[in-house]
Amino acid sequence: MERLHANSPILGLSHVTVTDFWSWAYSDILSNRNRAVFAEFIVGYLLDALDAPRIEWDAVDLRYRGKTLEVKSAGYIQSWPQKRLSRVSFNIGRKYSWFADSNSCSPNAVRPADGYVFCLFVTTEHEKANVLDLDQWKFWTVSSMQMDREFKDCKSISLSKLSQIRQPVEYHTLKREVDQTLCLAN
């Protein structure tokens, strides 16, 4: 797949580029789906792991220094009106995975990545929310081995359960934390 660039023209539409599409389609990055993809981008950028375009539905979200990562995202607030803050939980269930590089599926339900990065947009007030401000995010890293040991066959985990085994980190220390979690020497 070839990476698109901001000035890639949309042929047949005069003076319209892919940036116009991106701006129209993805400006609401507080929404669950867009925030999740944005979280993958943040983590990928901080790890310098954005060599190739994102592949929708691939078994893992990022490839980093010979290891694989799943990125999970949540937030207390959503882009729609809420009566109360959202309960934070992350989907960690084993799944039948499709591997894009080999066009094959796992024969069993698995956690396909070597590690997980859990990303929480921590802001609780719509007026102050800025998904683009990395100071409004917290991150937790957990190896798949620890996930299997601690959470066995759980399909999801709450923030409180996650916080019992790992402490959150800020974006500027995420790379070091991922390296430690995946046992990568610097």
Side-chain angles (χ1 to χ4, degrees), residues 143-155:
S143 71
S144 288
M145 287 176 32
Q146 186 174 18
M147 296 277 290
D148 288 341
R149 190 171 54 249
E150 300 285 340
F151 304 117
K152 297 181 181 34
D153 293 324
C154 291
K155 293 184 183 352

Side-chain angles (χ1 to χ4, degrees), residues 95-158:
K95 296 180 177 66
Y96 290 90
S97 299
W98 173 69
F99 298 89
D101 57 350
S102 63
N103 192 26
S104 63
C105 294
S106 62
N108 303 308
V110 296
R111 289 189 178 116
D114 296 308
Y116 285 72
V117 178
F118 297 96
C119 310
L120 177 62
F121 183 64
V122 298
T123 302
T124 58
E125 299 175 52
H126 275 94
E127 306 77 40
K128 295 180 181 176
N130 181 359
V131 180
L132 301 175
D133 179 357
L134 295 190
D135 286 327
Q136 295 185 25
W137 289 83
K138 298 282 186 212
F139 304 89
W140 291 257
T141 63
V142 183
S143 71
S144 288
M145 287 176 32
Q146 186 174 18
M147 296 277 290
D148 288 341
R149 190 171 54 249
E150 300 285 340
F151 304 117
K152 297 181 181 34
D153 293 324
C154 291
K155 293 184 183 352
S156 66
I157 56 168
S158 65

Side-chain angles (χ1 to χ4, degrees), residues 11-173:
L11 304 177
L13 298 179
S14 180
H15 308 292
V16 178
T17 67
V18 74
T19 297
D20 298 306
F21 163 68
W22 289 334
S23 176
W24 171 81
Y26 301 110
S27 285
D28 182 9
I29 55 177
L30 186 56
S31 73
N32 290 339
R33 182 186 180 282
N34 293 344
R35 185 187 59 230
V37 175
F38 185 69
E40 290 175 25
F41 174 79
I42 292 170
V43 174
Y45 185 86
L46 293 171
L47 299 178
D48 194 25
L50 298 176
D51 301 342
R54 180 178 184 272
I55 299 175
E56 189 76 25
W57 299 110
D58 197 3
V60 296
D61 296 320
L62 295 170
R63 285 167 174 74
Y64 171 64
R65 297 182 61 194
K67 301 286 187 173
T68 55
L69 290 168
E70 272 291 287
V71 178
K72 301 294 183 179
S73 169
Y76 292 109
I77 60 173
Q78 310 300 326
S79 58
W80 56 84
Q82 297 173 260
K83 293 186 186 211
R84 62 184 171 277
L85 298 176
S86 295
R87 181 182 167 272
V88 173
S89 68
F90 299 96
N91 182 335
I92 61 163
R94 290 183 172 93
K95 296 180 177 66
Y96 290 90
S97 299
W98 173 69
F99 298 89
D101 57 350
S102 63
N103 192 26
S104 63
C105 294
S106 62
N108 303 308
V110 296
R111 289 189 178 116
D114 296 308
Y116 285 72
V117 178
F118 297 96
C119 310
L120 177 62
F121 183 64
V122 298
T123 302
T124 58
E125 299 175 52
H126 275 94
E127 306 77 40
K128 295 180 181 176
N130 181 359
V131 180
L132 301 175
D133 179 357
L134 295 190
D135 286 327
Q136 295 185 25
W137 289 83
K138 298 282 186 212
F139 304 89
W140 291 257
T141 63
V142 183
S143 71
S144 288
M145 287 176 32
Q146 186 174 18
M147 296 277 290
D148 288 341
R149 190 171 54 249
E150 300 285 340
F151 304 117
K152 297 181 181 34
D153 293 324
C154 291
K155 293 184 183 352
S156 66
I157 56 168
S158 65
L159 181 59
S160 62
K161 290 282 187 192
L162 178 60
S163 295
Q164 287 175 9
I165 66 162
R166 299 295 291 194
Q167 293 301 306
V169 298
E170 308 286 327
Y171 73 92
H172 50 84
T173 61

